[in-house]
Amino acid sequence: MSKAGMILEGGGTRGVFTAGVLDYFMEQGLYLPYVIGVSAGACNAVDYVSRQPGRMKVCTIDFLEAGSYIGLKSLIRTHSLFNMDLIFDVFPNKLIPFDYDTYFSSGTTCILTATNCLTGKAAYLTENSDRQRLMAICRASSSLPIVSRMVDVDGVPMLDGGLADSVPIRKALHDGVKKNIVILTRQEGYRKAPAKKTLKMARIMYSKYPNLIKAIKYRAYFYNKTMELLEDLESRGHVFVIRPQIPVIKNTEDRVEVLTNFYNHGYEYAKDIFEQAAAYLHWDGKDKERA
């Protein structure tokens, strides 16, 4: 099989769709040697590389039943819409252990995308040994503007990777990955509208970061250009795109029933298209450990 990779879009709690897809893939033993994730896609990416099917579901859905980690209370208490300390410290290190050993020994190229607030450009980050830095990168990649604090990574303030590169197909192609499965969390044909309110608030909050403001201003334009590229590549059989086939949920959805339904849709849809994906990858399942 030619070098193959997985590209995972973010989307807040919409990431449960991706979790469902990946859980089915992992159950089938399909592990690709290159993974690049953004925001919630970064969280899915590390759980995929650490080979922990079901972990994202437990973190995002099951734990929500025990106590909410999202919403106004979290914003007031932690200055973030999501309780980031819980998600990126308590969960992986105590409550829902992350398998660091498997992740670091996997041999998989796992790239987590954040946005450098100084340059406004995408930062494609990897970590192969430092547990604290790995979770800091995941946290940075998932820190939404306005409703989250900037995260320091290597002395650089960073925010959500989706601001600079929501679906890094160009990065994967540049890295020589010829066969790409792209998992999106929006429906076919979706185009992003300019976030005027976010931009207005960003100009007030981030006055010291003009390049970050620029990234927020042009995010919709570059996102839509990427969608056009993906659709062109898909039409020519050069990429395999997996996207929701039912109405998508909001990125801050906190109803367990709605999240569970979206997760189950991802899992069942992966089951439906698995043979097509395997054929695209030229994967026959014989070498599950080195797919």
Side-chain angles (χ1 to χ4, degrees):
M1 183 178 68
S2 301
K3 186 175 181 181
M6 197 92 70
I7 301 169
L8 310 177
E9 183 181 21
T13 51
R14 279 196 299 273
V16 297
F17 170 79
T18 303
V21 174
L22 293 180
D23 281 355
Y24 184 78
F25 282 3
M26 285 190 273
E27 288 176 7
Q28 304 309 305
L30 178 58
Y31 289 96
L32 302 185
Y34 179 101
V35 185
I36 183 166
V38 183
S39 196
C43 299
N44 274 308
V46 296
D47 285 348
Y48 174 76
V49 175
S50 68
R51 305 195 174 199
Q52 291 181 274
R55 186 176 182 277
M56 186 70 167
K57 178 179 180 294
V58 173
C59 293
T60 310
I61 301 175
D62 298 355
F63 196 86
L64 193 59
E65 293 184 294
S68 181
Y69 54 79
I70 179 176
L72 185 59
K73 287 184 179 179
S74 176
L75 185 61
I76 294 172
R77 186 169 61 251
T78 70
H79 302 285
S80 178
L81 189 63
F82 295 85
N83 187 332
M84 305 298 264
D85 289 337
L86 181 68
I87 297 170
F88 296 106
D89 182 13
V90 179
F91 278 179
N93 299 318
K94 296 177 183 178
L95 291 181
I96 314 168
F98 178 77
D99 191 342
Y100 291 99
D101 291 340
T102 296
Y103 180 89
F104 290 138
S105 64
S106 69
T108 302
T109 298
C110 185
I111 300 172
L112 309 174
T113 307
T115 297
N116 183 320
C117 297
L118 302 178
T119 66
K121 303 295 184 181
Y124 304 108
L125 305 167
T126 60
E127 178 51 56
N128 299 315
S129 62
D130 188 322
R131 297 184 176 197
Q132 187 174 350
R133 184 174 182 272
L134 176 64
M135 286 303 150
I137 293 170
C138 287
R139 182 171 182 157
S141 180
S142 305
S143 292
L144 298 171
I146 310 301
V147 295
S148 299
R149 290 176 171 175
M150 292 179 180
V151 179
D152 185 297
V153 179
D154 304 330
V156 178
M158 297 194 183
L159 280 173
D160 192 286
L163 300 176
D165 194 354
S166 295
V167 186
I169 178 65
R170 295 177 182 85
K171 169 62 176 171
L173 294 173
H174 180 268
D175 287 346
V177 184
K178 303 300 183 183
K179 289 281 185 178
N180 288 290
I181 289 184
V182 180
I183 305 181
L184 303 178
T185 56
R186 290 284 195 175
Q187 70 277 18
E188 184 174 6
Y190 172 77
R191 293 294 186 271
K192 191 178 292 294
K196 295 181 180 179
K197 290 183 179 179
T198 300
L199 179 60
K200 185 176 181 180
M201 294 182 70
R203 284 173 169 154
I204 297 172
M205 292 183 64
Y206 304 134
S207 59
K208 296 180 180 179
Y209 301 93
N211 290 322
L212 175 62
I213 295 172
K214 186 177 179 180
I216 293 171
K217 179 179 180 179
Y218 290 105
R219 182 187 183 189
Y221 172 80
F222 287 112
Y223 180 91
N224 295 340
K225 284 293 184 182
T226 299
M227 289 304 105
E228 291 174 10
L229 172 62
L230 274 178
E231 289 168 3
D232 176 61
L233 292 171
E234 183 182 22
S235 70
R236 294 187 284 126
H238 294 322
V239 68
F240 191 92
V241 181
I242 299 173
R243 51 172 73 85
Q245 304 298 301
I246 62 174
V248 300
I249 64 176
K250 61 182 181 180
N251 66 347
T252 56
E253 180 59 63
D254 62 357
R255 291 172 294 174
V256 170
E257 182 180 352
V258 174
L259 289 167
T260 301
N261 182 59
F262 206 50
Y263 166 86
N264 289 338
H265 172 58
Y267 184 90
E268 294 299 325
Y269 187 60
K271 188 183 299 184
D272 291 341
I273 54 84
F274 185 75
E275 289 186 6
Q276 294 171 253
Y280 165 77
L281 294 169
H282 303 301
W283 182 78
D284 59 13
K286 291 181 180 179
D287 189 1
K288 292 186 177 182
E289 292 302 308
R290 299 187 62 182

